[in-house]
Amino acid sequence: MARVGTALRELRGAQKSAKGVSLYSRFVNRPAGRYLAAGSYALGLTPNGVTLVSAAFSFAAVAAVALVAPSWGLGIAVWAALAVGFAFDSADGQLARLRGGGSAAGEWLDHVVDAAKLTALHACVLIAFYRFPEAYGTGARGWLLVPLGFQFAAVVTFFGGLLTEKLKPRPAPGSAAAAPSTLRAVALLPVDYGVFCLVFLLLGGGRLFAWAYAALGAVAALFLVAFLTKWFRELSAVRR
């Protein structure tokens, strides 16, 4: 326990900037990840090992969505597994910083797992809509386009944001970081992965889940347009 306490104290002073982060990630997921990182440190796990634990929880939930008929119990289990997987996704980076820094291979593994998880989750919703049309009210074939559209918006947003961060110039050493905006943190809630996971609590509602999922997909598409416009303007000012 002493080792966990020491790790927690060190992690509190080694958090990433909250700029551009939603309230859920800032006040729920990162703190949960901090405790998981401290526990993983005490157990001797590596950051890559924690990434694989995150993947195990996430892909178990993803498979359940596609293979199991919807119910309220399934919804709770899927949400819990996705939320735990997301917390471990935060923990791997925190554990890397606690151990003195991560590696290029570790960052690569983390992003590959994130991309695979995001792609598979929407693909499995599509499979669920196809396998259980009566439960979800998705007998009309047009419903199968909803997960495809949501997947497109999510993947392009993920890749576009990642590439933008790589192409933007790094802040000058010693420069003060801008204070995080509370308004922006609230505005980003609809496209936060942790908030998205909450929709799976509605799996037992069948049609209710389908419509809530479709609404989030429409919001994701709108945010994609806004993000792409913002990122293109920011990078247009960068000279290479």
Side-chain angles (χ1 to χ4, degrees), residues 17-23 25-26 30 181 184-186 188 192:
S17 169
K19 182 182 178 182
V21 176
S22 84
L23 287 181
S25 288
R26 183 177 176 184
R30 283 187 177 180
S181 166
R184 179 178 172 80
V186 172
L188 289 173
D192 185 283

Side-chain angles (χ1 to χ4, degrees), residues 137-151:
T138 52
R141 294 306 185 200
W143 271 103
L144 301 184
L145 298 176
V146 174
L148 288 177
F150 203 155
Q151 182 184 70

